[in-house]
Amino acid sequence: CRLPVPESCGFGNLQGHYAVVALSPSWRRVMVVAAALALSLVLSWLASDIFERVNERSTDLIWASNTHSEVEQRLLVVDIDDQSLADFGPWPWSPGIMARLVDQLRTQGANMLLFDVVFPQSREGSARLAAALAASDDIAPAVLGQLFALRGESRLHMGEPVGALPGQGCLPTSLSAQGTIANHKGLHNRAGHITPTIDADGTVRRVPALVCYQGAQYPALAMTPFSVAEAPVIKAGQTPWQPAWQIQWPQSGWKPVGMDAQGQVRVPYTHSRRSQTAISAADVLRGRVPQGMLEGKWVLVGASAFGLSDSVPTALDPAVSGVEVHAQLVRGILDGTVPHTPVAVPWLQGIFVVVGTLLLYGLASAPPLSSKRRVVLVPLVAMTLALLAYACHGAALLQWQWY
């Protein structure tokens, strides 16, 4: 039913009808664009997890399509593989066997030993392993692994964490841990955490640079080789083009490593898996490694043997050994290619959205275009803008390490 408009209001000519305010075509288009933007913001908020997963998967595609295949000459992986277990028995190996492995690696010229392995319990022969780790540690430092519970999955405290950064409490960039599995007391004085960040889809793309536990902060395993000669300095980004936080080694000359506001470091999957040389731990223990192959190398010791539960999905493969993640991150720090998100990125994204919106509005309101052409052209331009944004993301990631 319609309500009559009283003549006393001066609208007698509209009596029996609604008073309707007519909008011009341009204003209608502005309202449509504004409504579309509002709907996009609401959807982005409600489905943020989905958009984040799409973003990560699309970045995985960039990594997988642009890996380098040059054989890595600085790092070498010593793999506790199926053949190693067949030759020397099931895991965990005795401390005596591990001591022999340490001795063999140093005898053959390795000058840095990184272990993606934890020894939480003292056993017969542990003193022998401790002595092997300490011997020549000033020439070929050894770094053990240690695990932290970061998602509330455990409050277990086993072993004794070591390797905390000196003179610093827990900074805002440190992720708080609730439990730990560390090496037993007295085994060695240097360790780095081997706890990755597991994304919602189960993939490892980030590693906490620092973990806070009982008032001290412990660096990731991949950070420790660069901190042997110089303690790292943690600083907030100083310019819009720097990340929220940085780890710096001012005297050593290593390029700073960027962290996001949560203290996460992105793993640069820049090299194909075939580019990383790996040899069996059995070959090292039996002296079957070619002469000079380990000379001057940084060696990462990890396990890929079936049943050891050390396989994780990454951007390059649905199942790789955890030591490969550490190897990729170490290589990224050496090459200065660890991705980071500049503080200015949200502003750049906002500018892109505004410019794209204005462009679409201009096309939708262009007088020469017929309605039929607009129906086809506007969606095509919108898809082109989306592809352009993806291309810019890939170029910035590969050229400037911007994520």
Side-chain angles (χ1 to χ4, degrees):
C1 61
R2 291 180 290 183
L3 297 176
V5 180
E7 293 186 10
S8 59
C9 295
F11 299 108
N13 59 328
L14 298 179
Q15 185 173 2
H17 299 278
Y18 281 117
V20 179
V21 178
L23 295 176
S24 66
S26 60
W27 273 107
R28 286 201 297 269
R29 283 190 284 268
V30 168
M31 293 185 66
V32 168
V33 171
L37 282 175
L39 180 61
S40 298
L41 291 175
V42 171
L43 289 176
S44 298
W45 178 68
L46 293 176
S48 58
D49 291 344
I50 296 176
F51 284 113
E52 181 65 22
R53 189 170 301 185
V54 171
N55 180 42
E56 295 290 2
R57 291 288 181 88
S58 63
T59 304
D60 292 348
L61 181 60
I62 294 173
W63 286 130
S65 303
N66 294 275
T67 55
H68 302 295
S69 58
E70 298 87 355
V71 176
E72 172 59 50
Q73 301 294 331
R74 300 160 298 181
L75 308 176
L76 187 143
V77 171
V78 171
D79 188 11
I80 302 173
D81 54 6
D82 293 345
Q83 186 60 51
S84 301
L85 300 190
D87 288 359
F88 292 92
W91 188 260
W93 283 346
S94 69
I97 294 177
M98 294 303 300
R100 284 175 53 196
L101 181 62
V102 172
D103 291 340
Q104 286 281 11
L105 291 172
R106 284 185 172 143
T107 298
Q108 297 187 45
N111 66 3
M112 181 73 69
L113 310 180
L114 304 176
F115 288 84
D116 184 25
V117 180
V118 185
F119 305 93
Q121 293 180 323
S122 179
R123 303 162 57 194
E124 183 179 352
S126 291
R128 169 74 180 89
L129 176 57
L133 291 168
S136 303
D137 194 59
D138 55 335
I139 299 173
V143 184
L144 303 180
Q146 52 194 7
L147 282 164
F148 291 97
L150 300 177
R151 296 173 293 275
E153 66 269 40
S154 175
R155 295 190 177 276
L156 176 68
H157 181 100
M158 182 178 293
E160 183 178 83
V162 298
L165 296 184
Q168 301 185 48
C170 291
L171 299 177
T173 54
S174 300
L175 271 71
S176 296
Q178 300 81 43
T180 184
I181 299 179
N183 299 287
H184 68 79
K185 185 175 182 179
L187 180 60
H188 197 49
N189 62 357
R190 191 180 292 115
H193 85 77
I194 55 177
T195 312
T197 295
I198 310 296
D199 285 348
D201 60 355
T203 303
V204 174
R205 300 182 179 94
R206 297 169 295 160
V207 172
L210 303 168
V211 168
C212 175
Y213 186 67
Q214 295 184 343
Q217 54 184 7
Y218 298 89
L221 180 69
M223 306 285 179
T224 53
F226 306 92
S227 305
V228 170
E230 178 186 5
V233 178
I234 316 299
K235 287 187 176 181
Q238 303 298 312
T239 72
W241 312 114
Q242 291 181 343
W245 294 89
Q246 290 182 325
I247 298 180
Q248 302 177 354
W249 296 271
Q251 304 301 320
S252 302
W254 303 111
K255 187 176 179 179
V257 174
M259 298 180 286
D260 62 20
Q262 290 74 43
Q264 301 277 4
V265 173
R266 287 203 166 265
V267 180
Y269 290 107
T270 53
H271 294 77
S272 68
R273 297 186 63 198
R274 294 189 301 273
S275 68
Q276 181 61 64
T277 302
I279 58 176
S280 173
D283 291 337
V284 177
L285 287 167
R286 295 194 182 280
R288 296 194 294 244
V289 178
Q291 186 69 28
M293 188 174 186
L294 295 173
E295 189 68 35
K297 298 287 196 306
W298 287 13
V299 173
L300 294 96
V301 180
S304 69
F306 177 72
L308 296 190
S309 301
D310 193 32
S311 294
V312 295
T314 69
L316 303 182
D317 199 284
V320 305
S321 63
V323 71
E324 291 190 34
V325 176
H326 305 302
Q328 291 277 11
L329 186 51
V330 171
R331 292 167 77 170
I333 300 175
L334 287 171
D335 296 334
T337 57
V338 178
H340 66 277
T341 302
V343 176
V345 160
W347 291 96
L348 296 176
Q349 293 172 336
I351 292 173
F352 186 90
V353 170
V354 170
V355 172
T357 301
L358 292 176
L359 177 59
L360 292 175
Y361 173 74
L363 288 174
S365 60
L369 294 177
S370 65
S371 298
K372 291 182 179 179
R373 288 181 178 177
R374 288 177 188 143
V375 169
V376 175
L377 185 59
V378 172
L380 286 177
V381 172
M383 288 188 290
T384 301
L385 288 173
L387 292 175
L388 178 61
Y390 181 60
C392 289
H393 170 55
L397 180 64
L398 298 175
Q399 296 298 321
W400 304 314
Q401 292 78 53
W402 287 9
Y403 181 85

